[in-house]
Amino acid sequence: MSSEPVPPPPWRRSANKSARPHLSVATIVAAALRVMDAEGLDAVSMRRVAQDLGTGAASLYAHVRNKQELHELILEEVFRGLEVPTPDPRRWQEQLKELIGQTTRIMLARPGTAQISLQTMIPMRPGTLAAMDATLGILRCAGIPDQIADYAADALALYGTAYAYEASLWPSSEAGQAEARRRITEIEEYLSTLPADRFPHLLAMMRRPFHEENGSERFEFALDIFIAGLAKYADPGLTE
Amino acid sequence: MSSEPVPPPPWRRSANKSARPHLSVATIVAAALRVMDAEGLDAVSMRRVAQDLGTGAASLYAHVRNKQELHELILEEVFRGLEVPTPDPRRWQEQLKELIGQTTRIMLARPGTAQISLQTMIPMRPGTLAAMDATLGILRCAGIPDQIADYAADALALYGTAYAYEASLWPSSEAGQAEARRRITEIEEYLSTLPADRFPHLLAMMRRPFHEENGSERFEFALDIFIAGLAKYADPGLTE
DNA sequence: TTCTACTCGCGAACAGTGTTCGTGTCAAGA
DNA sequence: TCTTGACACGAACACTGTTCGCGAGTAGAA
């Protein structure tokens, strides 16, 4: 490309924004979310976000430490809409299911969020902390002992996030979905090639028709099983 | 760096390998694993692997389609050592726990593997398929209905992988661990700053001493809970 | 033995990435 | 009006995955 130093473009300074583009953490996060919604998390590069704001990548670093920090800020913004219930001991099971379901739905609605959440080792911002606190609140309200509540909340959050992540891997484009279906038939053919007793159960599973599920059945089932296993630690006196 | 075309280095052609470096899928995967074990998955770039074989990145593409395929081949190689039990209905719970535990331990032993496994939407190679088939085998042997066994096997695999991934995010270097601890105290201080009733359960959790666990307690607990919840679908006639 | 054909290694290039440095410009305070 | 300091930002650095085309080496045919 042209490598000689280009003179400052005269049309930007006065047209697009008021002299200065007025960058701030909020505008940067908003731009990043815009890009993520439109083109996916992979497209959320510093350059791409800056371009959306009509500036260069270097400008972002005055407001945001890292790309990692930008990611965390996206996560925080997305979890803003989370509604936490006030714990009711008698309804702890459905409240728990609803809360974890809600966080997972939020992530599913914005593919890319789950990936950030999984990669962010220690969540440090209000939105994500609120979800964790609410989960713990419901469990403790049901009389579940402290340590068990800690472990259970961790496992629930991890499973929900992992489920959302896995689901968001599924390509959204028509071409990508066709490719994925091609790979599935490929693997079915491969399994049929092998001696029938090599992977018998897997083969049987892939032949079952409901294998192509369309809802959150799989997710809700796992949640139900886990909560059922958890129920024996709840205090019958509290949960009636 | 020096950018003029360097003449072919005379010492390689005859010394290192027999005229040609004798590349193959096996040698490439071995080199990739070497790099991953030594420097982590992030270091496993095409150039880095090629360098380890004394060649250039382009040479790898004759044997491996993609970086993605190279990743899958690594996964396959790592899961080679998996030992699958012959299902025994009366011991299905411990067999299940042991199998999932084993796959998770394999991934924990090689940080980076979990990430590959999570990113590989549809596993297509014998090693990973064998793990799935064995899980299904144990469940069906216990008399658990087909669809439930399918969902349960999926959930177990997903949770185990996610757990291993989360654990492998923890930095291995001394400096990285110090940084992580710093972040944890940072978040503790932040929580203490807020009104005590903002995140009360979270605050209480972080103050509990066993919060810094050192084993697989958390993982085994979640597994136990899930299996307990699953037990009601097992056939009492089979499992005695 | 000579010549041809074909496989496969591989340098260079392309279009991207995160991040830093140093310069330049603008607006508000003295 | 002058100065100061905050902020915008072009260019550069060291990377990344992947493709193209050349060229060397080997194996088979004449």
Side-chain angles (χ1 to χ4, degrees):
Chain A
M1 299 302 152
S2 59
S3 59
E4 78 280 3
V6 166
W11 46 269
R12 265 231 317 102
R13 276 271 170 277
S14 53
N16 213 355
K17 295 273 160 67
S18 61
R20 286 275 179 108
H22 186 58
L23 289 182
S24 72
V25 176
T27 57
I28 290 173
V29 171
L33 258 168
R34 225 148 46 215
V35 174
M36 189 178 92
D37 286 342
E39 304 166 42
L41 182 61
D42 286 350
V44 183
S45 67
M46 299 306 268
R47 279 176 176 81
R48 182 69 190 77
V49 172
Q51 178 193 312
D52 214 61
L53 292 164
T55 180
S59 306
L60 307 184
Y61 284 86
H63 306 269
V64 160
R65 215 196 308 269
N66 270 349
K67 193 189 176 183
Q68 169 67 22
E69 181 166 288
L70 179 55
H71 276 177
E72 291 178 32
L73 290 169
I74 290 176
L75 198 65
E76 173 61 21
E77 178 63 30
V78 167
F79 269 107
R80 249 195 156 63
L82 188 79
E83 287 170 23
V84 302
T86 53
D88 174 0
R90 281 160 307 184
R91 301 202 305 122
W92 72 273
Q93 299 202 19
E94 48 180 308
Q95 280 190 326
L96 197 58
K97 213 179 145 182
E98 161 55 22
L99 183 61
I100 303 295
Q102 198 189 343
T103 60
T104 308
R105 258 177 279 130
I106 287 177
M107 291 192 271
L108 285 175
R110 307 249 203 185
T113 314
Q115 183 178 339
I116 298 174
S117 181
L118 215 49
Q119 281 167 356
T120 305
M121 193 180 24
I122 311 159
M124 287 193 54
R125 280 155 219 284
T128 40
L129 295 179
M132 193 66 179
D133 189 73
T135 309
L136 283 169
I138 293 171
L139 290 167
R140 300 195 58 197
C141 175
I144 291 173
D146 288 350
Q147 180 168 4
I148 296 189
D150 291 353
Y151 285 169
D154 175 83
L156 284 166
L158 184 56
Y159 177 73
T161 309
Y163 175 83
Y165 175 66
E166 198 190 37
S168 66
L169 280 183
W170 207 255
S172 52
S173 70
E174 198 53 56
Q177 289 192 10
E179 164 70 14
R181 274 192 294 271
R182 209 183 51 70
R183 281 189 63 132
I184 287 185
T185 46
E186 210 171 73
I187 196 176
E188 274 175 326
E189 283 163 16
Y190 169 66
L191 287 176
S192 307
T193 307
L194 298 172
D197 60 344
R198 185 74 185 83
F199 301 129
H201 309 105
L202 204 54
L203 195 59
M205 174 174 121
M206 298 207 74
R207 289 208 173 120
R208 264 171 233 132
F210 59 81
H211 166 250
E212 302 183 10
E213 52 137 351
N214 42 6
S216 53
E217 221 178 309
R218 204 172 97 239
F219 173 68
E220 286 189 33
F221 167 80
L223 224 54
D224 283 337
I225 293 282
F226 190 83
I227 292 176
L230 208 53
K232 69 164 174 277
Y233 294 104
D235 185 344
L238 291 172
T239 58
E240 192 183 24
Chain B
M1 301 296 158
S2 59
S3 59
E4 78 280 6
V6 166
W11 47 269
R12 265 230 318 101
R13 275 272 170 277
S14 53
N16 212 356
K17 294 272 162 65
S18 61
R20 288 277 180 106
H22 186 58
L23 289 183
S24 73
V25 176
T27 56
I28 290 174
V29 171
L33 259 169
R34 225 150 44 217
V35 174
M36 189 178 91
D37 286 341
E39 305 166 41
L41 182 61
D42 285 351
V44 183
S45 67
M46 300 306 267
R47 279 178 176 82
R48 182 67 191 79
V49 171
Q51 177 193 312
D52 214 62
L53 292 164
T55 179
S59 306
L60 307 184
Y61 285 86
H63 305 270
V64 159
R65 213 195 311 268
N66 271 349
K67 192 188 177 183
Q68 170 66 23
E69 182 166 287
L70 179 55
H71 276 178
E72 291 178 30
L73 290 169
I74 290 176
L75 199 65
E76 173 61 21
E77 178 64 30
V78 167
F79 269 106
R80 251 196 155 63
L82 188 80
E83 286 171 23
V84 301
T86 53
D88 174 0
R90 279 159 308 184
R91 302 202 305 123
W92 73 272
Q93 299 203 18
E94 49 181 306
Q95 279 190 326
L96 197 57
K97 215 180 144 181
E98 161 55 23
L99 183 61
I100 304 295
Q102 198 189 343
T103 60
T104 308
R105 258 177 278 129
I106 287 176
M107 290 193 270
L108 286 175
R110 306 249 203 186
T113 315
Q115 184 178 338
I116 298 174
S117 181
L118 216 49
Q119 280 167 356
T120 306
M121 194 180 25
I122 311 159
M124 288 191 56
R125 282 155 217 283
T128 40
L129 295 179
M132 193 67 178
D133 189 74
T135 310
L136 283 168
I138 294 171
L139 290 167
R140 300 194 59 197
C141 175
I144 290 172
D146 288 349
Q147 180 169 4
I148 296 190
D150 291 354
Y151 285 171
D154 175 83
L156 285 165
L158 184 56
Y159 177 74
T161 309
Y163 174 84
Y165 175 66
E166 198 191 36
S168 66
L169 279 183
W170 206 255
S172 52
S173 70
E174 196 54 53
Q177 289 192 10
E179 163 71 13
R181 273 192 295 271
R182 208 183 51 70
R183 280 188 64 130
I184 287 186
T185 45
E186 210 171 72
I187 196 176
E188 273 175 326
E189 283 162 16
Y190 169 66
L191 286 176
S192 308
T193 306
L194 297 172
D197 60 343
R198 186 74 186 82
F199 300 130
H201 310 104
L202 204 55
L203 195 59
M205 175 175 120
M206 298 208 75
R207 290 209 172 119
R208 282 193 264 287
F210 58 81
H211 167 249
E212 302 182 10
E213 52 137 352
N214 41 5
S216 53
E217 221 178 307
R218 203 171 98 240
F219 173 68
E220 286 188 34
F221 168 80
L223 224 55
D224 283 336
I225 293 282
F226 190 84
I227 292 176
L230 207 54
K232 68 165 175 275
Y233 294 104
D235 185 344
L238 290 172
T239 57
E240 196 182 20

